[in-house]
């Protein structure tokens, strides 16, 4: 149900269906949050840009970071490569967090879309290896990506996130993102 409007809620209720999945669209308005400082990375990590030799390691990292996600976790190298041939892709917009050996431990794939009316940024993919989750790597990558998109002229930054992912939704809210749209999937729900 795009927007989860009253008609969709009423129909779902009449059919005995419940929400089985929610997708939030969140937006950061940089006019309201003009100052964003970099966030320190955990010790031993650095952020730089995508290198072609990173591809297979980023695909593997994406797979474990999104192991429970029905679409994102199944992306292949061919899927990544197809997206990298899109008009919007620029290798400099794919930020990679690396450990001391240079191995990727997280990445923030930003997306910049420009039209004659405006430039908009998107947190296209933000992934952190589970071994580095909860240590600040995601927050540092998010801040670096926002700063990067702002430098590219994006006054608004959007993202899509699973509504049930409370930890990540909280991270985005803390960074200033607000829910601007909610879509849901209805289906049979098990009774307790």
């Amino acid at each position: 149900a795009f927007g989860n409007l009253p008609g969709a809620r009423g129909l779902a209720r009449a059919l005995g269906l419940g929400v089985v999945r929610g997708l939030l669209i969140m937006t950061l308005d940089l006019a309201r949050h003009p100052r964003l400082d970099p966030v320190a990375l955990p010790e031993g990590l650095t952020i730089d840009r995508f290198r072609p030799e990173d591809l297979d390691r980023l695909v593997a990292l994406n797979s474990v970071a999104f192991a429970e996600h029905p679409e994102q976790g199944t992306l292949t190298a061919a899927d990544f490569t197809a997206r990298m041939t899109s008009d919007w892709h620029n290798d400099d917009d794919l930020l990679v967090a690396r450990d001391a050996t240079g191995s990727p431990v997280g990445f923030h794939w930003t997306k910049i879309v420009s039209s004659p009316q405006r430039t908009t940024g998107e947190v296209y993919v933000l992934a952190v290896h589970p071994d580095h989750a909860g240590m600040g790597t995601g927050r540092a990558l998010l801040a670096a990506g926002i700063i990067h998109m702002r430098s590219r002229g994006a006054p608004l930054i959007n993202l899509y996130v699973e509504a049930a992912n409370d930890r990540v939704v909280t991270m985005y809210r803390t960074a200033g993102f607000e829910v601007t749209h909610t879509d849901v999937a209805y289906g049979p729900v098990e009774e307790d």
Side-chain angles (χ1 to χ4, degrees):
F2 296 103
N4 197 22
L5 299 173
R9 292 193 303 269
L11 178 61
R13 196 172 31 258
L15 296 173
L17 303 175
V19 174
V20 295
R21 185 176 179 195
L23 179 70
L24 304 178
I25 300 174
M26 300 180 78
T27 301
L28 174 64
D29 182 347
L30 290 171
R32 292 181 34 210
H33 300 276
R35 185 167 182 265
L36 179 71
D37 296 321
V39 173
L41 279 162
E43 188 173 336
L45 299 184
T46 59
I47 295 177
D48 65 10
R49 303 292 194 261
F50 172 78
R51 302 173 199 150
E53 62 269 19
D54 291 332
L55 180 62
D56 290 334
R57 290 187 287 179
L58 291 187
V59 171
L61 191 158
N62 185 76
S63 180
V64 296
F66 291 102
E68 303 297 320
H69 194 280
E71 297 92 21
Q72 186 67 30
T74 61
L75 294 180
T76 64
D79 296 325
F80 267 67
T81 301
R83 285 159 177 78
M84 290 175 161
T85 62
S86 298
D87 291 343
W88 58 263
H89 175 75
N90 179 329
D91 284 353
D92 288 342
D93 295 337
L94 178 44
L95 309 178
V96 180
R98 301 177 190 280
D99 65 16
T101 69
S103 294
V105 299
F107 65 92
H108 184 174
W109 196 348
T110 66
K111 181 177 181 179
I112 305 290
V113 178
S114 295
S115 70
Q117 293 78 26
R118 70 176 172 186
T119 298
T120 304
E122 181 181 330
V123 176
Y124 187 61
V125 182
L126 180 61
V128 174
H129 192 284
D131 291 347
H132 293 267
M135 293 189 254
T137 306
R139 287 190 311 277
L141 278 166
L142 177 62
I146 292 169
I147 292 166
H148 173 73
M149 288 184 274
R150 180 178 58 199
S151 76
R152 294 272 319 270
L156 294 174
I157 299 173
N158 298 309
L159 62 84
Y160 300 80
V161 63
E162 295 287 327
N165 196 338
D166 294 330
R167 183 177 58 82
V168 174
V169 170
T170 298
M171 178 184 70
Y172 290 138
R173 285 185 192 279
T174 301
F177 285 86
E178 298 174 355
V179 174
T180 53
H181 187 85
T182 302
D183 295 331
V184 299
Y186 286 101
V189 290
E190 296 181 20
E191 294 185 23
D192 293 333

